[in-house]
Amino acid sequence: MSDRSLYALGDRRVTLEHLRAFVLLSRGNGFNEAGLQLHRTQSAVTQSLKKLEKILDCKLIERRQGHVSGLTAEGHRFLPAAYEILHRMNEAIVSMQRPEISGRIVIGVPDDFRLIELHGAISRCLGQNRNLRLEVVAALSSQLLDSLERNLLDVAIIKRVVGTEYDSFKDNVHLLRRESLRWVAAQSRTFDADVEIPLVIFPNGCCYRAAALAALNGASKRSYNAYTSASYENIKGAISAGLGIGILPQSAIASNHHILDVHDGFPPLPDIELVMIRACQKNSTKQLVHFLSLSAGGINDPAGNFDIVDDVGDPSRAVQ
């Protein structure tokens, strides 16, 4: 085996046990609590962290009097990669424990939502299930819901305001993510600065738009559409350029955006959810929903928390 191939297999000194200990400690668990969840002694968890820090040649966790007080800058930098490795391992194990997915499935995804990780999950699903034919349709959430009700889709990923219910599919809705909506602008401004609020906004049918207009109506404030687009990048660019005030989920806010809140006089906005709705009862569709639910990260956790499967892949011993 070439040196390059060996490099692709990773540093053999780093084990999944090291990564599991680091991830649990990064969540604010103490060494004793992390040990209980990993079925290891407190001393073993401490040694796992020390070995990982020695291999990486940097300090990952800040400790004060034996207690975890937070992540170092290097810890914050390493955490996404550690999550990714453990999550992909979990995903692969669960996938192999179930029958291969086959057949034709039509899935709808919102074209006005950042779906980088979901697109990756779909790609991995196809790679692990060679007899699966996925047809992906992108549209606004309101259009996807209409297509579901007309039996044009088997599965759909939809944005909605928290508390919204779909009577037709209430038993087949899977929560993938929950986030806060924010008013954002290029610079600080107050709610009373404009007689009419210039909105940088998504088209009709977007729950962000509906939430913003409802909040403004509740505050008896007029608005106009200064810029409208179904593209996330166009919306973010227009906000950065100062064309108006936008409404974005926390994860989509750019570094040059200024968040406007109640201290600036702006009315509160509701949280939004990304949900997956299954309209088809085929076993292959149920399998796909399970795979994508696992791949999308933890419920209510935009950071991507997930189950950590043990060495032999026994889900009953997964760490939540």
Side-chain angles (χ1 to χ4, degrees):
M1 184 177 291
S2 68
D3 290 343
R4 185 173 183 179
S5 297
L6 286 170
Y7 178 79
L9 295 177
D11 191 324
R12 293 176 60 188
R13 295 175 299 166
V14 177
T15 69
L16 295 179
E17 189 71 17
H18 295 154
L19 299 181
R20 292 186 181 111
F22 168 61
V23 166
L24 283 173
L25 292 170
S26 76
R27 295 178 183 176
N29 295 278
F31 286 91
N32 187 55
E33 184 179 352
L36 290 173
Q37 294 193 57
L38 288 173
H39 307 286
R40 300 292 187 268
T41 65
Q42 178 180 340
S43 176
V45 173
T46 301
Q47 289 304 312
S48 286
L49 177 63
K50 287 182 177 179
K51 287 179 181 178
L52 181 59
E53 291 179 327
K54 183 177 180 180
I55 293 167
L56 299 178
D57 194 26
C58 64
K59 189 176 182 181
L60 300 173
I61 300 283
E62 293 284 4
R63 282 94 91 187
R64 291 199 182 119
Q65 297 180 337
H67 298 286
V68 175
S69 60
L71 292 176
T72 64
E74 291 81 4
H76 282 291
R77 181 184 172 194
F78 185 65
L79 183 59
Y83 269 133
E84 182 78 6
I85 293 166
L86 291 173
H87 188 53
R88 295 294 164 256
M89 175 64 73
N90 193 20
E91 181 184 275
I93 291 172
V94 173
S95 175
M96 294 305 296
Q97 289 174 334
R98 286 167 172 76
E100 183 177 3
I101 307 174
S102 61
R104 172 182 177 268
I105 299 177
V106 184
I107 179 171
V109 299
D111 61 1
D112 55 350
F113 198 90
R114 298 173 71 246
L115 290 168
I116 295 173
E117 70 275 14
L118 189 59
H119 287 159
I122 290 173
S123 177
R124 290 191 302 278
C125 185
L126 289 170
Q128 296 176 22
N129 301 276
R130 299 295 183 177
N131 294 316
L132 174 62
R133 175 182 163 188
L134 269 186
E135 298 178 12
V136 183
V137 178
L140 289 170
S141 292
S142 58
Q143 296 169 337
L144 295 176
L145 189 60
D146 179 65
S147 294
L148 275 176
E149 292 173 342
R150 294 165 56 200
N151 296 316
L152 299 177
L153 298 173
D154 297 311
V155 182
I157 312 291
I158 287 178
K159 298 179 316 184
R160 69 180 186 182
V161 172
V162 170
T164 303
E165 298 293 342
Y166 307 122
D167 292 338
S168 302
F169 308 106
K170 62 182 180 180
D171 295 326
N172 295 305
V173 177
H174 303 262
L175 177 61
L176 299 179
R177 174 165 299 181
R178 182 174 293 158
E179 287 195 75
S180 298
L181 277 181
R182 304 293 188 195
W183 300 99
V184 290
Q187 57 188 7
S188 177
R189 60 197 300 168
T190 63
F191 191 60
D192 296 327
D194 303 291
V195 175
E196 290 184 294
I197 299 293
L199 293 177
V200 176
I201 199 166
F202 289 97
N204 281 323
C206 174
C207 66
Y208 302 173
R209 177 192 182 104
L213 294 179
L216 292 175
N217 287 338
S220 301
K221 189 75 167 184
R222 291 183 297 167
S223 63
Y224 66 95
N225 299 339
Y227 186 94
T228 304
S229 174
S231 164
Y232 248 101
E233 294 309 312
N234 288 347
I235 289 290
K236 290 170 66 175
I239 295 170
S240 298
L243 299 187
I245 296 170
I247 307 93
L248 291 174
Q250 185 69 42
S251 65
I253 297 173
S255 58
N256 63 344
H257 289 164
H258 187 89
I259 296 176
L260 308 171
D261 55 26
V262 292
H263 299 293
D264 306 297
F266 283 82
L269 292 167
D271 288 348
I272 53 100
E273 296 174 333
L274 190 67
V275 299
M276 181 159 47
I277 301 176
R278 175 173 55 82
C280 177
Q281 298 303 315
K282 295 185 298 186
N283 283 334
S284 58
T285 306
K286 293 178 181 178
Q287 288 176 263
L288 175 67
V289 166
H290 180 83
F291 183 95
L292 294 181
S293 296
L294 174 68
S295 301
I299 290 177
N300 303 334
D301 195 343
N305 288 349
F306 46 84
D307 295 345
I308 306 173
V309 175
D310 75 353
D311 290 333
V312 295
D314 179 2
S316 69
R317 292 181 58 193
V319 176
Q320 302 296 326

